[in-house]
Amino acid sequence: RLKELELPTLGPSDVLVRMLAAPINPADINMIQGTYALLVPLPAVAGNEGVGRVLEVGPGVATLRPGDCVIPADAGLGTWRTHAVLPEDGLLRVPSDVPLLCAATLGVNPCTALRMLSDFESLAPGDSVIQNAANSGVGQAVIQIARATGLRTINVVRDRPNLPELVERLTALGADHVVTEDVLRKPEMKEIFKSIPKPRLALNCVGGRSTTEMLRHLQPKGTMVTYGGMAKQPVTVPVSAFIFRDVRLRGFWMTQWKKDHDKQSMADMVDTLCQLVQRGQLGAPACTTVPLEDFREALVASTQPFTSSKQILLL
């Protein structure tokens, strides 16, 4: 529900933030449903990501000042609100020239994309990556970051009525190839691999049959990283893939990465992404902006099938 709350008193290390925009991510929905691995004590404000502007700082705050744009350094701060008093350590400053929707969606999907492209395989320009759910927020970020670093991408999407429009949009972002799940078993894939090498890295956000089919195209000793399970089906891997091709299956959760690294590591990663934004190599995902008062409609829209537009609450 939408409710008015009284702000707590600003402490010495606290920051008063005017929230500006916050997306609705699948993890936000799962937290509300009580099915996510990270749950906050109730009653709680939802939202793990967003951008705000600093209005006031406590006397002990050293790294932020009024007027700064900030994003959460970690999950669970509750971003779906107009104002918040938050600890200085829970916030990261972003340059003021980063566009509003880019900043609002910077801390989860692009970070996930960058980490998965960097941390599991030593990829060089010209290498290829295959991913499913390529139209998701992470998928769109993977395409753009890969293009900026010279990697080739094979992007798997579900068949849908507006498929040509989606293919055109992903290609405009820098996708080298866009195929449907059914094409993964067809001779068309052999044509693709005449021009680019088979991937050493696969990124899985779906599970089920999509994952099994995608795995067939992974190089021996390649790695598949699972970061989501949209199909709500298990990852099924043929025994032969383990024995004869020695594929590696890994998992990734951005929240755990943040727990395992200090705030400076997160700040450095955000700075890298902001530089891509400033160079025009990384933009916000396809978005639909919605006033906070219409949050219920936005929640419904964010859970519809074949959704390629992220709902952004304007606060």
Side-chain angles (χ1 to χ4, degrees):
R1 69 186 72 174
L2 201 58
K3 191 172 182 178
E4 286 198 16
L5 301 174
E6 186 172 339
L7 286 169
T9 303
L10 196 70
S13 300
D14 289 339
V15 178
L16 173 61
V17 177
R18 170 70 170 96
M19 294 301 301
L20 302 173
I24 299 176
N25 290 318
D28 300 322
I29 303 291
N30 295 151
M31 286 181 72
I32 293 168
Q33 293 169 331
T35 60
Y36 200 58
L38 174 68
L39 298 176
V40 293
L42 298 177
V45 177
N48 291 296
E49 185 181 27
V51 62
R53 191 174 301 281
V54 175
L55 297 182
E56 188 180 347
V57 300
V61 172
T63 61
L64 297 172
R65 60 187 180 186
D68 284 347
C69 287
V70 290
I71 64 174
D74 207 348
L77 288 187
T79 55
W80 297 357
R81 52 176 151 183
T82 59
H83 296 77
V85 173
L86 300 169
E88 176 188 14
D89 285 347
L91 298 167
L92 293 170
R93 191 176 69 83
V94 295
S96 58
D97 61 348
V98 172
L100 178 73
L101 297 183
C102 283
T105 56
L106 195 67
V108 176
N109 292 338
C111 290
T112 297
L114 182 61
R115 292 271 56 89
M116 292 194 301
L117 288 172
S118 305
D119 294 352
F120 295 92
E121 288 284 345
S122 298
L123 301 174
D127 286 343
S128 71
V129 176
I130 189 169
Q131 64 166 342
N132 55 23
N135 58 305
S136 67
V138 171
Q140 293 175 63
V142 165
I143 290 170
Q144 295 174 83
I145 296 169
R147 171 55 64 93
T149 52
L151 301 175
R152 314 289 294 277
T153 56
I154 304 159
N155 302 278
V156 185
V157 298
R158 289 183 295 172
D159 199 3
R160 64 194 66 210
N162 64 336
L163 182 63
E165 297 171 24
L166 177 59
V167 171
E168 183 179 352
R169 184 157 59 80
L170 295 182
T171 301
L173 288 179
D176 293 284
H177 300 278
V178 182
V179 300
T180 62
E181 293 177 346
D182 289 340
V183 171
L184 289 173
R185 285 192 72 92
K186 294 183 178 178
E188 295 168 52
M189 295 303 295
K190 292 182 180 179
E191 293 300 314
I192 289 176
F193 294 127
K194 287 180 180 178
S195 59
I196 65 174
K198 283 202 167 189
R200 299 214 322 269
L201 180 66
L203 306 177
N204 168 48
C205 184
V206 178
R209 177 172 171 265
S210 170
T211 305
T212 307
E213 299 297 342
M214 190 168 63
L215 194 65
R216 297 177 189 274
H217 302 291
L218 199 60
Q219 280 192 32
K221 298 186 183 299
T223 302
M224 184 173 75
V225 182
T226 293
Y227 67 99
M230 292 167 57
K232 294 183 171 60
Q233 296 172 357
V235 171
T236 304
V237 182
V239 171
S240 60
F242 283 122
I243 297 175
F244 302 119
R245 292 169 49 228
D246 191 20
V247 298
R248 295 162 171 79
L249 268 63
R250 300 286 304 275
F252 182 78
W253 185 31
M254 193 66 230
T255 299
Q256 186 62 50
W257 187 93
K258 292 176 182 178
K259 290 179 181 178
D260 294 340
H261 295 78
D262 59 18
K263 184 181 175 182
Q264 187 58 51
S265 299
M266 181 68 183
D268 291 343
M269 176 168 55
V270 168
D271 182 60
T272 296
L273 293 169
C274 287
Q275 290 180 41
L276 290 175
V277 172
Q278 291 165 329
R279 292 198 294 265
Q281 295 175 306
L282 177 64
C287 294
T288 300
T289 55
V290 182
L292 178 60
E293 296 75 31
D294 297 331
F295 74 95
R296 293 188 186 278
E297 289 84 350
L299 286 171
V300 171
S302 69
T303 58
Q304 297 305 302
F306 304 117
T307 300
S308 295
S309 184
K310 188 176 290 293
Q311 302 292 305
I312 308 286
L313 299 173
L314 295 182
L315 308 166

